[in-house]
Amino acid sequence: MLVHKFGGTSIGDAQRFADVADIVLAHHSQAGDLDTAQTVVVVSAMSGVTNQLISGARAAAEGRDSVYREIKAALLTRHLDVVEAMLTRNRERLEVGGLVEDQLHELERFYRSIAMLGELTPRGSDAVTSFGERLSCSILAAVLRERGARAQAVSATDLIVTDDSFGAAMPRFEATRKRLQQQIMPLLDRGLIPVITGFVAATETGVTTTLGRGGSDLSAAIIGAGLDADQVWIWSDVDGILTADPNLVPQARTLRELSYAEASDLAYFGADVLHPKTIQPVIERGIPLRILN
Ligand code: ASP
Ligand code: MG
Protein backbone atom coordinates (compact mmCIF):
# COMPACT_ATOMS: atom_id res chain seq x y z
CA MET A 1 0.00 0.00 0.00
CA LEU A 2 1.16 3.45 -0.96
CA VAL A 3 0.05 6.74 0.63
CA HIS A 4 0.61 9.78 -1.60
CA LYS A 5 0.45 13.31 -0.23
CA PHE A 6 0.11 16.35 -2.48
CA GLY A 7 0.51 19.90 -1.18
CA GLY A 8 -1.17 23.11 -2.26
CA THR A 9 1.23 24.04 -5.07
CA SER A 10 0.78 20.57 -6.60
CA ILE A 11 -2.92 21.42 -7.10
CA GLY A 12 -2.54 25.15 -7.74
CA ASP A 13 -4.75 25.17 -10.84
CA ALA A 14 -6.85 22.94 -13.10
CA GLN A 15 -3.90 21.58 -15.07
CA ARG A 16 -2.09 20.60 -11.90
CA PHE A 17 -5.11 18.64 -10.65
CA ALA A 18 -4.85 16.68 -13.89
CA ASP A 19 -1.10 16.16 -13.37
CA VAL A 20 -1.68 14.88 -9.84
CA ALA A 21 -4.35 12.46 -11.02
CA ASP A 22 -1.96 11.18 -13.71
CA ILE A 23 0.80 10.64 -11.15
CA VAL A 24 -1.52 8.74 -8.83
CA LEU A 25 -2.79 6.51 -11.60
CA ALA A 26 0.68 5.92 -13.04
CA HIS A 27 1.72 4.34 -9.74
CA HIS A 28 -1.53 2.56 -8.89
CA SER A 29 -1.41 -1.21 -9.41
CA GLN A 30 1.98 -1.05 -11.12
CA ALA A 31 4.14 -4.14 -11.23
CA GLY A 32 7.35 -3.86 -9.20
CA ASP A 33 8.84 -4.58 -5.81
CA LEU A 34 6.36 -2.38 -4.02
CA ASP A 35 2.76 -3.49 -3.46
CA THR A 36 0.81 -0.73 -5.19
CA ALA A 37 -2.54 -2.49 -5.49
CA GLN A 38 -3.80 -0.22 -2.73
CA THR A 39 -3.45 3.54 -3.07
CA VAL A 40 -4.46 6.26 -0.63
CA VAL A 41 -4.23 9.97 -1.48
CA VAL A 42 -3.95 12.79 1.05
CA VAL A 43 -4.40 16.32 -0.24
CA SER A 44 -3.89 19.89 1.02
CA ALA A 45 -5.94 22.94 0.10
CA MET A 46 -5.14 24.70 -3.19
CA SER A 47 -2.16 27.04 -2.73
CA GLY A 48 -2.98 30.20 -0.82
CA VAL A 49 -6.48 29.07 0.15
CA THR A 50 -5.79 28.46 3.86
CA ASN A 51 -4.35 31.98 4.16
CA GLN A 52 -7.40 33.43 2.42
CA LEU A 53 -9.74 31.52 4.71
CA ILE A 54 -7.96 32.94 7.75
CA SER A 55 -8.02 36.49 6.36
CA GLY A 56 -11.75 36.12 5.80
CA ALA A 57 -12.28 34.94 9.38
CA ARG A 58 -10.29 37.88 10.77
CA ALA A 59 -12.21 40.30 8.60
CA ALA A 60 -15.48 38.78 9.82
CA ALA A 61 -14.44 39.19 13.46
CA GLU A 62 -13.66 42.85 12.75
CA GLY A 63 -17.01 43.40 11.06
CA ARG A 64 -15.54 43.92 7.59
CA ASP A 65 -18.30 42.00 5.83
CA SER A 66 -17.38 42.94 2.28
CA VAL A 67 -13.90 41.44 2.73
CA TYR A 68 -15.08 37.97 3.70
CA ARG A 69 -17.77 38.06 1.01
CA GLU A 70 -15.15 38.84 -1.60
CA ILE A 71 -12.94 36.03 -0.33
CA LYS A 72 -15.83 33.60 -0.51
CA ALA A 73 -16.60 34.74 -4.07
CA ALA A 74 -12.95 34.39 -5.12
CA LEU A 75 -12.78 30.88 -3.66
CA LEU A 76 -15.98 29.94 -5.47
CA THR A 77 -14.62 31.13 -8.81
CA ARG A 78 -11.24 29.47 -8.37
CA HIS A 79 -12.65 26.07 -7.44
CA LEU A 80 -15.46 26.15 -9.99
CA ASP A 81 -12.88 26.98 -12.68
CA VAL A 82 -11.15 23.69 -11.91
CA VAL A 83 -14.46 21.83 -11.92
CA GLU A 84 -15.42 23.36 -15.29
CA ALA A 85 -12.04 22.70 -16.86
CA MET A 86 -11.49 19.18 -15.58
CA LEU A 87 -14.87 17.47 -15.38
CA THR A 88 -16.32 16.82 -18.80
CA ARG A 89 -19.14 14.51 -17.81
CA ASN A 90 -22.27 16.58 -17.17
CA ARG A 91 -23.51 14.69 -14.17
CA GLU A 92 -20.20 14.74 -12.31
CA ARG A 93 -19.60 18.41 -13.19
CA LEU A 94 -23.01 19.43 -11.89
CA GLU A 95 -22.71 17.31 -8.78
CA VAL A 96 -19.25 18.44 -7.79
CA GLY A 97 -19.96 22.04 -8.79
CA GLY A 98 -23.05 21.92 -6.57
CA LEU A 99 -21.02 20.46 -3.73
CA VAL A 100 -18.45 23.25 -4.02
CA GLU A 101 -21.25 25.82 -3.90
CA ASP A 102 -22.80 24.15 -0.85
CA GLN A 103 -19.45 24.03 0.94
CA LEU A 104 -18.86 27.71 0.29
CA HIS A 105 -22.37 28.65 1.43
CA GLU A 106 -21.58 26.82 4.64
CA LEU A 107 -18.31 28.74 4.92
CA GLU A 108 -20.23 31.98 4.56
CA ARG A 109 -22.56 30.94 7.37
CA PHE A 110 -19.50 30.41 9.58
CA TYR A 111 -18.17 33.83 8.60
CA ARG A 112 -21.53 35.38 9.44
CA SER A 113 -21.60 33.81 12.87
CA ILE A 114 -18.04 34.99 13.55
CA ALA A 115 -19.15 38.47 12.50
CA MET A 116 -22.17 38.26 14.77
CA LEU A 117 -20.04 37.26 17.77
CA GLY A 118 -17.35 39.77 16.84
CA GLU A 119 -14.72 37.28 17.92
CA LEU A 120 -12.59 34.64 16.22
CA THR A 121 -11.99 31.72 18.60
CA PRO A 122 -9.38 29.01 17.90
CA ARG A 123 -12.28 26.60 17.47
CA GLY A 124 -13.93 28.89 14.92
CA SER A 125 -10.65 29.31 13.11
CA ASP A 126 -10.23 25.54 12.70
CA ALA A 127 -13.79 25.18 11.45
CA VAL A 128 -13.13 27.84 8.82
CA THR A 129 -9.67 26.68 7.72
CA SER A 130 -10.89 23.11 7.20
CA PHE A 131 -12.82 24.25 4.12
CA GLY A 132 -9.73 24.45 1.89
CA GLU A 133 -9.04 20.74 2.14
CA ARG A 134 -12.73 19.84 1.97
CA LEU A 135 -12.98 21.64 -1.36
CA SER A 136 -9.80 20.30 -2.94
CA CYS A 137 -10.49 16.76 -1.79
CA SER A 138 -13.94 16.58 -3.42
CA ILE A 139 -12.52 17.94 -6.66
CA LEU A 140 -9.46 15.67 -6.80
CA ALA A 141 -11.57 12.56 -6.21
CA ALA A 142 -13.81 13.63 -9.11
CA VAL A 143 -10.82 14.30 -11.39
CA LEU A 144 -9.57 10.78 -10.64
CA ARG A 145 -12.99 9.35 -11.47
CA GLU A 146 -13.00 11.35 -14.69
CA ARG A 147 -9.85 9.43 -15.61
CA GLY A 148 -11.54 6.11 -15.00
CA ALA A 149 -10.37 5.44 -11.45
CA ARG A 150 -12.72 4.47 -8.67
CA ALA A 151 -11.97 7.22 -6.20
CA GLN A 152 -13.88 8.45 -3.18
CA ALA A 153 -13.47 11.68 -1.22
CA VAL A 154 -13.22 11.04 2.52
CA SER A 155 -13.13 13.65 5.26
CA ALA A 156 -10.41 13.11 7.86
CA THR A 157 -12.80 14.50 10.48
CA ASP A 158 -14.20 10.95 10.53
CA LEU A 159 -10.75 9.37 10.72
CA ILE A 160 -8.14 11.36 12.63
CA VAL A 161 -9.07 11.74 16.29
CA THR A 162 -7.32 14.51 18.23
CA ASP A 163 -7.52 16.36 21.52
CA ASP A 164 -9.10 19.81 21.49
CA SER A 165 -5.96 21.95 21.24
CA PHE A 166 -7.42 23.88 18.33
CA GLY A 167 -4.88 25.17 15.82
CA ALA A 168 -2.34 22.41 16.57
CA ALA A 169 -4.33 19.46 17.83
CA MET A 170 -2.56 16.34 19.07
CA PRO A 171 -3.54 13.08 17.37
CA ARG A 172 -4.75 10.12 19.40
CA PHE A 173 -3.13 7.27 17.56
CA GLU A 174 -5.03 4.26 18.88
CA ALA A 175 -8.48 5.76 18.26
CA THR A 176 -7.33 6.99 14.85
CA ARG A 177 -5.90 3.63 13.86
CA LYS A 178 -9.15 1.92 14.73
CA ARG A 179 -11.17 4.28 12.55
CA LEU A 180 -8.75 4.02 9.65
CA GLN A 181 -8.89 0.23 9.81
CA GLN A 182 -12.69 0.24 10.03
CA GLN A 183 -13.42 2.87 7.42
CA ILE A 184 -10.57 2.89 4.92
CA MET A 185 -9.63 -0.80 4.67
CA PRO A 186 -13.08 -1.78 3.30
CA LEU A 187 -12.77 0.89 0.59
CA LEU A 188 -9.32 -0.41 -0.35
CA ASP A 189 -10.59 -3.99 -0.36
CA ARG A 190 -13.22 -2.91 -2.88
CA GLY A 191 -10.51 -1.44 -5.12
CA LEU A 192 -11.34 2.19 -4.37
CA ILE A 193 -8.77 4.97 -4.06
CA PRO A 194 -9.69 7.02 -0.96
CA VAL A 195 -8.83 10.72 -1.31
CA ILE A 196 -8.53 12.11 2.20
CA THR A 197 -8.41 15.71 3.44
CA GLY A 198 -5.01 16.63 4.89
CA PHE A 199 -4.60 19.03 7.81
CA VAL A 200 -8.07 18.52 9.32
CA ALA A 201 -9.17 16.19 12.07
CA ALA A 202 -11.78 16.14 14.83
CA THR A 203 -12.16 15.48 18.50
CA GLU A 204 -13.71 12.27 19.79
CA THR A 205 -17.10 14.02 19.75
CA GLY A 206 -16.70 15.29 16.20
CA VAL A 207 -15.66 18.93 16.67
CA THR A 208 -13.39 19.95 13.78
CA THR A 209 -9.72 20.55 14.65
CA THR A 210 -6.58 21.11 12.57
CA LEU A 211 -3.05 19.73 12.94
CA GLY A 212 -1.32 23.11 12.51
CA ARG A 213 -0.08 24.94 9.43
CA GLY A 214 1.61 22.63 6.95
CA GLY A 215 -0.06 19.74 8.77
CA SER A 216 -1.01 17.69 5.71
CA ASP A 217 2.40 15.98 5.83
CA LEU A 218 1.53 14.84 9.32
CA SER A 219 -1.90 13.68 8.15
CA ALA A 220 -0.21 11.49 5.53
CA ALA A 221 2.14 10.00 8.10
CA ILE A 222 -0.67 9.32 10.59
CA ILE A 223 -2.75 7.70 7.86
CA GLY A 224 0.22 5.67 6.57
CA ALA A 225 1.01 4.45 10.07
CA GLY A 226 -2.61 3.66 10.93
CA LEU A 227 -3.06 1.61 7.76
CA ASP A 228 0.39 -0.06 7.95
CA ALA A 229 1.24 1.31 4.51
CA ASP A 230 4.41 0.07 2.79
CA GLN A 231 5.56 3.63 2.06
CA VAL A 232 4.44 7.24 2.38
CA TRP A 233 5.30 9.46 -0.57
CA ILE A 234 5.32 13.22 -0.06
CA TRP A 235 5.12 14.94 -3.47
CA SER A 236 6.73 18.35 -3.55
CA ASP A 237 8.35 20.80 -5.96
CA VAL A 238 11.89 19.82 -4.97
CA ASP A 239 13.80 16.55 -5.46
CA GLY A 240 14.09 15.81 -1.77
CA ILE A 241 15.86 17.04 1.32
CA LEU A 242 18.96 19.05 0.40
CA THR A 243 22.24 19.38 2.29
CA ALA A 244 21.47 23.12 2.75
CA ASP A 245 19.04 25.80 1.64
CA PRO A 246 19.77 26.13 -2.11
CA ASN A 247 18.93 29.84 -1.96
CA LEU A 248 21.84 30.31 0.44
CA VAL A 249 24.20 27.57 -0.71
CA PRO A 250 24.18 27.11 -4.50
CA GLN A 251 26.20 23.86 -4.30
CA ALA A 252 23.56 22.23 -2.07
CA ARG A 253 22.76 18.70 -3.20
CA THR A 254 19.91 16.29 -2.65
CA LEU A 255 20.43 13.61 -0.03
CA ARG A 256 19.68 10.10 -1.24
CA GLU A 257 18.77 8.75 2.14
CA LEU A 258 18.44 10.00 5.71
CA SER A 259 17.76 8.24 8.96
CA TYR A 260 14.54 9.22 10.74
CA ALA A 261 16.62 11.08 13.34
CA GLU A 262 18.46 13.12 10.71
CA ALA A 263 15.28 13.95 8.84
CA SER A 264 13.43 15.03 11.93
CA ASP A 265 16.38 17.17 13.09
CA LEU A 266 16.49 18.90 9.72
CA ALA A 267 12.74 19.46 9.75
CA TYR A 268 12.92 20.75 13.29
CA PHE A 269 15.71 23.17 12.46
CA GLY A 270 13.78 24.62 9.60
CA ALA A 271 14.19 22.59 6.41
CA ASP A 272 10.95 23.67 4.72
CA VAL A 273 10.33 20.45 2.96
CA LEU A 274 8.76 18.51 5.84
CA HIS A 275 6.54 19.50 8.70
CA PRO A 276 8.61 18.82 11.89
CA LYS A 277 6.09 16.54 13.57
CA THR A 278 5.66 14.42 10.45
CA ILE A 279 8.26 11.82 11.10
CA GLN A 280 6.96 10.54 14.43
CA PRO A 281 4.11 8.28 13.26
CA VAL A 282 6.21 6.63 10.54
CA ILE A 283 9.21 6.08 12.84
CA GLU A 284 7.08 4.09 15.23
CA ARG A 285 6.05 1.70 12.48
CA GLY A 286 9.32 1.80 10.50
CA ILE A 287 7.59 2.99 7.35
CA PRO A 288 9.88 4.56 4.71
CA LEU A 289 8.91 8.10 3.70
CA ARG A 290 9.97 9.38 0.28
CA ILE A 291 10.05 12.92 -1.03
CA LEU A 292 9.40 13.17 -4.75
CA ASN A 293 9.36 16.02 -7.23
N1 ASP B 1 -3.51 23.82 3.96
C1 ASP B 1 -2.79 23.79 5.22
C2 ASP B 1 -1.83 24.97 5.30
O1 ASP B 1 -1.78 25.78 4.39
C3 ASP B 1 -2.09 22.51 5.45
C4 ASP B 1 -1.00 22.15 4.47
O2 ASP B 1 -0.88 22.77 3.43
O3 ASP B 1 -0.25 21.19 4.74
O4 ASP B 1 -1.18 25.13 6.28
MG1 MG C 1 3.74 21.76 3.17
Side-chain angles (χ1 to χ4, degrees):
M1 182 198 309
L2 214 51
V3 175
H4 296 271
K5 178 262 174 177
F6 294 92
T9 43
S10 300
I11 48 158
D13 60 32
Q15 182 53 48
R16 306 210 72 183
F17 269 87
D19 296 343
V20 163
D22 289 342
I23 288 176
V24 169
L25 295 179
H27 293 282
H28 182 57
S29 294
Q30 282 305 303
D33 297 341
L34 200 64
D35 179 6
T36 56
Q38 297 183 323
T39 299
V40 177
V41 179
V42 177
V43 71
S44 299
M46 291 179 76
S47 52
V49 167
T50 309
N51 287 343
Q52 277 176 297
L53 289 166
I54 294 172
S55 305
R58 292 204 179 118
E62 291 161 9
R64 290 179 288 130
D65 292 3
S66 61
V67 175
Y68 73 70
R69 285 205 195 100
E70 272 161 34
I71 287 173
K72 182 227 156 180
L75 290 173
L76 185 62
T77 310
R78 184 156 172 221
H79 289 88
L80 284 184
D81 280 352
V82 180
V83 169
E84 291 295 321
M86 284 300 124
L87 305 181
T88 58
R89 287 191 294 242
N90 269 334
R91 196 166 144 235
E92 184 92 275
R93 192 173 61 241
L94 287 174
E95 250 175 52
V96 179
L99 190 67
V100 165
E101 281 174 16
D102 290 348
Q103 286 171 336
L104 285 163
H105 281 314
E106 196 187 332
L107 170 71
E108 192 166 4
R109 282 204 298 277
F110 272 103
Y111 278 158
R112 263 192 256 129
S113 43
I114 292 168
M116 203 108 79
L117 292 169
E119 186 194 5
L120 177 58
T121 61
R123 175 173 169 160
S125 180
D126 276 1
V128 162
T129 48
S130 71
F131 278 89
E133 274 73 9
R134 290 168 61 182
L135 290 159
S136 62
C137 173
S138 317
I139 298 175
L140 182 58
V143 173
L144 280 161
R145 288 194 293 270
E146 170 90 22
R147 285 166 153 62
R150 298 178 59 215
Q152 184 175 319
V154 183
S155 170
T157 50
D158 296 330
L159 303 173
I160 301 183
V161 182
T162 66
D163 67 8
D164 63 357
S165 343
F166 297 103
M170 290 294 288
R172 304 224 155 115
F173 286 110
E174 277 323 305
T176 300
R177 184 178 168 79
K178 213 156 129 200
R179 292 203 193 181
L180 285 164
Q181 292 289 336
Q182 276 169 359
Q183 297 181 44
I184 298 301
M185 288 316 287
L187 299 182
L188 293 169
D189 289 341
R190 282 164 46 209
L192 282 152
I193 301 179
V195 181
I196 306 176
T197 52
F199 180 56
V200 306
T203 64
E204 203 85 53
T205 55
V207 180
T208 300
T209 56
T210 66
L211 302 175
R213 296 307 306 272
S216 298
D217 292 343
L218 176 56
S219 307
I222 294 170
I223 290 165
L227 292 171
D228 299 312
D230 293 291
Q231 296 195 0
V232 174
W233 289 9
I234 309 271
W235 291 87
S236 174
D237 49 8
V238 291
D239 289 331
I241 294 186
L242 297 168
T243 50
D245 182 341
N247 297 315
L248 302 174
V249 183
Q251 311 88 310
R253 29 180 204 89
T254 309
L255 295 160
R256 251 199 81 67
E257 196 172 88
L258 283 94
S259 68
Y260 291 123
E262 290 164 333
S264 85
D265 275 357
L266 275 175
Y268 184 78
F269 289 110
D272 265 345
V273 62
L274 273 185
H275 185 274
K277 283 193 288 192
T278 300
I279 320 285
Q280 204 51 45
V282 291
I283 299 181
E284 275 160 31
R285 302 242 151 210
I287 300 172
L289 185 136
R290 286 182 67 189
I291 295 172
L292 296 100
N293 193 335

